[in-house]
């Protein structure tokens, strides 16, 4: 899972190096903001097949299609072909938008969006089992 903060300027397009989540951002800006550059074990993330994005423990976006990645000279990873499967546009009453073309990706996003996903690890990337008993619907 990817734990993020709010994006600094959600209404000003997706500038280079911008990261974070904003419920007001367009799907294309969210994808640009969330697909990289993260310090992570890219093969482990790719093996999971899905990257839930959380704010305060709640899943607010879901990335899929993580098989390809690039790593820069600083050891940060960008998932170059990532797909935004879905995202939340209202955090008070989770309003879900499914954006993936693939039915399986849409179903995965539907299952995870708005759910609470607990983790004990520090940093922006936390590795959670795909059979996690701590997934609860919000």
């Amino acid at each position: 899972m990817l734990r993020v903060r709010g994006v600094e300027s959600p209404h000003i397009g997706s500038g280079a190096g911008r990261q974070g989540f904003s419920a007001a951002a367009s799907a294309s800006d969210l994808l640009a903001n969330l697909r990289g550059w993260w310090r992570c074990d890219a093969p482990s993330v790719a093996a999971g097949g899905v990257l839930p994005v959380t704010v305060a423990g709640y899943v607010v976006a879901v990335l899929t299609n993580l098989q390809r990645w690039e790593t820069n000279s600083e050891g940060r990873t960008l998932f170059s072909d990532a797909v935004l499967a879905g995202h939340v546009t209202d955090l008070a009453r989770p309003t879900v938008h499914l954006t993936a073309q693939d039915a399986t990706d849409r179903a995965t996003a539907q299952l995870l969006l708005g759910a609470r996903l607990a983790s004990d690890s520090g940093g922006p990337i936390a590795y959670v089992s795909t059979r996690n008993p701590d997934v609860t619907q919000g």
Side-chain angles (χ1 to χ4, degrees):
M1 113 173 99
L2 173 62
R3 296 181 288 199
V4 297
R5 299 185 302 218
V7 70
E8 291 177 11
S9 302
H11 302 291
I12 306 174
S14 57
R18 181 164 284 150
Q19 294 177 323
F21 176 82
S22 169
S26 69
S28 61
D29 282 350
L30 277 177
L31 179 58
N33 295 349
L34 298 174
R35 68 184 188 147
W37 295 92
W38 306 107
R39 291 193 189 275
C40 65
D41 177 3
S44 293
V45 172
V50 62
L51 183 56
V53 178
T54 64
V55 171
Y58 289 91
V59 179
V60 295
V62 175
L63 300 178
T64 58
N65 198 34
L66 305 168
Q67 299 86 353
R68 276 193 31 188
W69 62 85
E70 305 168 31
T71 303
N72 69 13
S73 61
E74 297 174 3
R76 294 178 178 271
T77 300
L78 169 82
F79 292 94
S80 47
D81 293 338
V83 170
L84 179 66
H87 60 102
V88 174
T89 57
D90 182 341
L91 300 178
R93 291 181 319 252
T95 302
V96 171
H97 289 271
L98 302 175
T99 52
Q101 298 293 323
D102 181 78
T104 301
D105 289 353
R106 291 171 68 86
T108 300
Q110 182 70 49
L111 176 71
L112 290 171
L113 288 168
R116 178 138 177 80
L117 190 57
S119 163
D120 294 325
S121 118
I125 298 284
Y127 299 94
V128 179
S129 170
T130 55
R131 291 181 171 74
N132 186 344
D134 292 330
V135 175
T136 57
Q137 293 299 315

